[in-house]
Amino acid sequence: MTLWLRCSAAVMTLVVLSACADSRFVDRTGRQGPAQLVYAPPGTKLTLINASNGTPSETRITVNAPTDLRGSFTREDGTTGGFYPACWGCSGENVIEEAEYANLWPLEIGKNVAFLRTAPDGKKARVVIRVSGTESIETKAGSFDTYILDGRIEHITGARYSAQVRAWWAQDPGWIVKAEGGDSQGNTLASEVSAISLP
């Protein structure tokens, strides 16, 4: 689920937009929200160093054109994935209140959004994402000026479960360049971009 706009006059791998003036996103219910989202250009290649419960791995992905509000990518094995920046558990077939999520963009320190996520089995979770600040960070891929996005999800139906993630969003290139998080079951994960190649 992701919206690709350009301005003319814009376990899981955490990968995780710049602004266009006066753009609006209308979700499938007809509700409106700002849609000032631009992901990295399709064809951008990223290499990520990951750690899931302390076990390291490496993932190579190619960015695809987004779908609605969801970022999209293809792994080197040919499988595809999608994500919303800073939203643990919003990928796959889960459905979120997209217009509420869209209000997070453009990013501004202190801005936050809250919305429901519904899983394919009908179970619901509450998601809260906050723009906590900005930070210049260094990864093996280089230096990035980032916004810090803190996300938390808590199941409101079904088994008790919660998770949190901190993601560093770089508007250039338009992707999450670092993320770390954990859940109430003791799982941890981390991801960092180690190489970027623009198309």
Side-chain angles (χ1 to χ4, degrees), residues 41-81:
T44 300
K45 297 183 183 305
L46 298 101
T47 302
L48 302 113
I49 299 171
N50 311 301
S52 179
N53 295 327
T55 302
S57 65
E58 185 176 86
T59 305
R60 289 183 177 85
I61 64 171
T62 301
V63 176
N64 302 324
T67 307
D68 297 329
L69 294 174
R70 182 181 291 180
S72 178
F73 57 90
T74 301
R75 300 175 190 90
E76 63 183 338
D77 66 3
T79 60
T80 58

Side-chain angles (χ1 to χ4, degrees), residues 180-195:
E180 54 191 34
D183 69 11
S184 57
Q185 298 176 346
N187 297 304
T188 62
L189 59 86
S191 183
E192 185 174 295
V193 173
S194 61

Side-chain angles (χ1 to χ4, degrees), residues 2 14 28-29 44 76 117 166 169 191:
T2 272
L14 284 180
R28 62 195 109 187
T29 69
T44 300
E76 63 183 338
R117 185 213 72 186
R166 171 166 277 191
W169 172 265
S191 183

Side-chain angles (χ1 to χ4, degrees), residues 32-155:
Q32 288 192 350
Q36 302 173 333
L37 318 182
V38 176
Y39 285 94
T44 300
K45 297 183 183 305
L46 298 101
T47 302
L48 302 113
I49 299 171
N50 311 301
S52 179
N53 295 327
T55 302
S57 65
E58 185 176 86
T59 305
R60 289 183 177 85
I61 64 171
T62 301
V63 176
N64 302 324
T67 307
D68 297 329
L69 294 174
R70 182 181 291 180
S72 178
F73 57 90
T74 301
R75 300 175 190 90
E76 63 183 338
D77 66 3
T79 60
T80 58
F83 75 101
Y84 294 91
C87 187
W88 182 307
C90 286
S91 59
E93 297 303 313
N94 293 315
V95 175
I96 72 167
E97 295 176 318
E98 295 160 320
E100 284 78 2
Y101 175 80
N103 287 317
L104 187 65
W105 310 92
L107 300 175
E108 297 170 2
I109 296 172
K111 188 185 276 190
N112 63 64
V113 296
F115 53 89
L116 292 181
R117 185 213 72 186
T118 305
D121 63 4
K123 292 179 181 169
K124 297 189 180 296
R126 177 178 166 78
V127 180
V128 178
I129 302 174
R130 178 177 174 79
V131 184
S132 298
T134 59
E135 185 177 2
S136 294
I137 66 169
E138 290 273 340
T139 76
K140 290 184 178 180
S143 301
F144 300 94
D145 292 326
T146 68
Y147 282 93
I148 302 169
L149 306 178
D150 285 317
R152 180 172 176 80
I153 186 168
E154 187 166 350
H155 287 188

